[in-house]
Amino acid sequence: MATQQPTLKSFTKEEVAKHNKPGDLYVIIDSIVYDVSKFGAMHPGGLGVLLDPEVAGKDATTVFYGLHRSEILQKPQYQRLRIGQIEGEKQRIQSMLPGDLSRVPYAEPTWLTPEFKSPYYNESHRALQKVMRKFVDEVIYPDAQICEENGKRASKEVLQAMAANNLNAMRLGPGKHLHGRELMGGVVKGEKYDYFHELVVNQEIARCGGRGYADGLNAGMVIGLPPVLNFAKEPLRSKVIEEVFGGQKVISLAISEAFAGSDVAGLRTTAVKSEDGKYWTINGTKKWISGGMHSDYFTVGAKTDGGLTVFLVPRGEGVETKQIKTSYSTAAGTAYITFENVKVPAENMLGPEDGGLLVILSNFNHERWVMCCGSARSSRIIVEECLKWAAQRYVFGKPLLSQAVIRYKLAQMIAKVEAIQAWLENVTFQMCNMNYKEQSRNLAGQIAFLKMQSTRFAGEIADDAVQIFGGRGLTKTGMGKHVEQFQRTQKFDAILGGAEEVLGDLGVRQAMRKMPKDVRL
Ligand code: HEM
């Protein structure tokens, strides 16, 4: 509920109406009286609009919500403008508190909608969702708003809070690495953590409202650390894992190059073994490395004599990172990396010599599934934004929602997010019931198609959302800020982790491999 202030003075509408000129100016918004006498001169929308006879000294609730996000009135500098409340009236517009679920239809997936049931989620998933929602609202969201704008990486406080709650470890998915750990204050036991818990974590983090920031928030670890977890030898393995889980060190995956992206086999970075076999010398470049600017370790794919080999390369002599400016925030830490005669000990080899393709490919399913979780949730946020906007925005004297063409766009958007979430939950259920090998054998195609379709839909949703928001969908601040960011950044999901076309092709080729030889039309 919006902050009620019992000490506020009572006003009648007639009293407020007397304050309607420059230097003595009140407005009523949702029963609260604001003294904008001094603020008027600093108002970003100008003083003139506040002096309009329909606004000055009047109830301006409808016009206000047609032009501002409700969060504006929650800011301390604007709360100070409150001087009273209209006698006998109550606030009708409810603000969300940290941790709240949205009450807007389709703003939450069905399992979080009171009237619906789900076979997939138990009490521990629900408990985790509650603490994650509050954590994102209170800790991550405010930091994301600042960093997405100034381009700096997530603050130390956020990174430490994530490490303290074992969120880094949780983002690698279920497994022995979680056993015995206290997760988010103990709401779920490490031994019981499954892919639905991870889906909850991914979908809540996707609500942080900063797409570049989110990629800089250890997303590189989600893809860079599994090769260490699964293929490094002790004691290196435990050392690096504890450093990264504990938030002391950052790791990213350095595979793609200016020469080769989806074509992993075409990489040009080389690794040459020393004569005594004790170390390797790495030379080459890497491009579009998410989190690379922040990283202490890089999981690097390099060409070796008989194929491809993966190495853990610590930042040090010969390693240089340069910021790449992409269409989202530099908070992502996207880097161009050069390796010049970088020597790494033989113990830093991850997996077999010349067997790196398996090391890289074994990680792809999880990476893509994580991206589907994020894409589905980000698309849903846009549906909520559009539903609210269409209901509160008045054009030609009527809400935007009264136009059939707008309702049709909303119908398309809603159907898309519901379809993707349902498919995602089905795939997640299969992941919970298959071991790693079975997942690789059976789910690569499903996950590839799911990612292809999630990001295709996200593109269409972004397009419709901008049409609904108009110029505000192209404006970085104000009413359309989430829509603007989404239309500018949704393509990252369509490219990173495998382009839509490559994934679609992969899925069909996998299906063809399973085609029975003895079937005919
Ligand atoms: C306590 C009262 C008010 C406060 C604190 C306030 C604050 C703000 C702020 C912070 C912005 C810029 C933020 C953004 O880009 O969304 C803004 C823009 C604006 N405001 Fe207000 N405002 C108030 C009342 C009003 C009222 C009653 C009107 C009625 C006409 C109004 C008209 C506008 C307009 C036209 C803009 C520019 C919107 C745009 O660029 O799309 N404001 N206001």
Side-chain angles (χ1 to χ4, degrees):
M1 184 71 193
T3 354
Q4 291 288 346
Q5 301 195 357
T7 51
L8 284 179
K9 191 180 155 192
S10 261
F11 281 89
T12 62
K13 285 196 172 170
E14 292 69 32
E15 280 166 345
V16 175
K18 291 178 196 153
H19 304 271
N20 61 352
K21 41 199 155 310
D24 180 17
L25 189 57
Y26 294 180
V27 287
I28 305 163
I29 301 167
D30 193 21
S31 83
I32 302 293
V33 182
Y34 292 84
D35 180 351
V36 292
S37 308
K38 286 191 186 137
F39 166 70
M42 294 168 281
H43 177 229
L47 175 62
V49 293
L50 300 178
L51 289 170
D52 185 290
E54 294 297 312
V55 173
K58 296 271 168 59
D59 188 331
T61 309
T62 304
V63 67
F64 179 86
Y65 284 105
L67 296 159
H68 311 73
R69 297 186 71 87
S70 52
E71 66 213 34
I72 282 184
L73 294 179
Q74 302 306 317
K75 292 190 176 170
Q77 68 265 40
Y78 302 131
Q79 292 247 326
R80 277 186 231 118
L81 303 177
R82 297 169 169 228
I83 53 160
Q85 186 156 21
I86 297 298
E87 211 171 64
E89 285 192 12
K90 281 195 176 142
Q91 281 184 270
R92 284 180 302 113
I93 294 155
Q94 297 200 1
S95 321
M96 300 263 288
L97 289 177
D100 277 356
L101 290 175
S102 173
R103 290 171 300 117
V104 172
Y106 301 102
E108 304 286 354
T110 46
W111 75 277
L112 291 175
T113 309
E115 298 80 12
F116 289 78
K117 306 276 177 286
S118 166
Y120 299 130
Y121 302 87
N122 61 33
E123 278 317 304
S124 74
H125 299 117
R126 292 181 188 278
L128 179 63
Q129 187 280 328
K130 274 203 178 83
V131 293
M132 276 305 300
R133 174 69 54 106
K134 203 152 186 288
F135 184 79
V136 171
D137 287 351
E138 282 177 342
V139 180
I140 302 186
Y141 184 90
D143 196 48
Q145 303 314 294
I146 298 166
C147 298
E148 187 74 18
E149 185 57 27
N150 68 19
K152 298 202 173 128
R153 68 186 292 192
S155 71
K156 248 195 201 136
E157 292 72 32
V158 167
L159 295 170
Q160 276 165 4
M162 288 180 73
N165 280 297
N166 271 315
L167 258 173
N168 295 338
M170 291 161 81
R171 292 174 74 194
L172 287 205
K176 287 209 181 101
H177 62 280
L178 291 180
H179 292 188
R181 288 185 199 266
E182 176 142 317
L183 310 181
M184 287 306 288
V187 288
V188 48
K189 282 203 167 5
E191 291 75 3
K192 295 270 175 204
Y193 187 90
D194 63 23
Y195 287 109
F196 278 102
H197 293 108
E198 198 195 346
L199 177 148
V200 168
V201 168
N202 292 331
Q203 294 212 313
E204 292 300 327
I205 291 179
R207 293 178 55 262
C208 78
R211 184 61 184 80
Y213 174 91
D215 274 8
L217 197 65
N218 287 342
M221 172 206 70
V222 176
I223 48 182
L225 196 57
V228 178
L229 189 72
N230 298 322
F231 297 98
K233 294 189 195 82
E234 295 296 356
L236 183 73
R237 180 179 177 275
S238 296
K239 174 183 174 293
V240 175
I241 284 170
E242 289 314 315
E243 285 172 344
V244 175
F245 283 175
Q248 295 99 34
K249 294 274 166 83
V250 174
I251 188 167
S252 55
L253 182 71
I255 303 293
S256 56
E257 300 181 356
F259 305 100
S262 295
D263 171 21
V264 171
L267 299 179
R268 291 204 193 169
T269 294
T270 56
V272 178
K273 196 164 27 174
S274 63
E275 273 182 19
D276 59 6
K278 287 196 174 144
Y279 65 88
W280 292 79
T281 304
I282 299 182
N283 276 291
T285 60
K286 295 287 169 184
K287 194 167 179 177
W288 303 293
I289 307 308
S290 305
M293 293 306 294
H294 317 145
S295 290
D296 306 286
Y297 292 117
F298 305 91
T299 299
V300 178
K303 253 167 75 170
T304 40
D305 274 350
L308 187 83
T309 308
V310 179
F311 297 91
L312 179 73
V313 182
R315 189 185 278 273
E317 215 183 315
V319 179
E320 249 191 59
T321 50
K322 271 188 254 163
Q323 183 88 251
I324 300 179
K325 285 192 183 168
T326 63
S327 39
Y328 65 22
S329 172
T330 50
T334 313
Y336 184 84
I337 310 180
T338 51
F339 298 104
E340 235 183 274
N341 292 324
V342 179
K343 298 209 171 4
V344 290
E347 300 85 81
N348 284 30
M349 195 165 78
L350 304 175
E353 186 175 336
D354 302 328
L357 208 55
L358 170 91
V359 177
I360 296 169
L361 294 181
S362 69
N363 205 22
F364 273 160
N365 272 353
H366 182 254
E367 171 183 5
R368 289 170 186 158
W369 170 84
V370 169
M371 294 180 75
C372 294
C373 296
S375 173
R377 185 71 221 195
S378 312
S379 293
R380 193 177 286 279
I381 291 170
I382 300 307
V383 170
E384 178 176 10
E385 292 284 301
C386 289
L387 281 167
K388 282 184 179 162
W389 174 246
Q392 77 192 58
R393 174 68 169 171
Y394 276 68
V395 278
F396 309 115
K398 286 190 239 159
L400 206 50
L401 203 55
S402 64
Q403 311 286 339
V405 67
I406 298 293
R407 293 199 299 272
Y408 182 69
K409 283 191 189 305
L410 291 169
Q412 295 278 310
M413 296 165 105
I414 293 168
K416 284 167 188 164
V417 294
E418 288 298 306
I420 285 301
Q421 183 75 18
W423 189 1
L424 173 66
E425 289 176 354
N426 180 342
V427 166
T428 307
F429 182 70
Q430 309 311 323
M431 287 165 70
C432 290
N433 288 285
M434 287 185 198
N435 64 32
Y436 205 71
K437 268 197 180 149
E438 288 168 333
Q439 285 182 31
S440 308
R441 204 167 44 240
N442 301 315
L443 291 181
Q446 280 272 339
I447 293 176
F449 287 138
L450 176 62
K451 181 172 174 298
M452 175 196 77
Q453 200 56 40
S454 308
T455 59
R456 204 66 313 272
F457 279 169
E460 291 164 16
I461 288 170
D463 205 38
D464 279 342
V466 174
Q467 295 309 116
I468 292 175
F469 268 75
R472 286 176 174 80
L474 304 171
T475 308
K476 280 194 176 185
T477 55
M479 302 301 278
K481 69 174 192 177
H482 292 305
V483 169
E484 186 282 332
Q485 190 182 112
F486 188 68
Q487 60 84 20
R488 177 165 43 85
T489 61
Q490 48 83 22
K491 268 286 169 199
F492 281 81
D493 288 325
I495 301 294
L496 274 57
E500 278 169 10
E501 297 75 4
V502 174
L503 294 184
D505 184 54
L506 168 93
V508 174
R509 280 190 288 114
Q510 287 238 335
M512 285 303 126
R513 241 177 271 145
K514 290 190 176 174
M515 191 81 168
K517 299 268 178 288
D518 55 356
V519 292
R520 296 289 180 275
L521 273 180

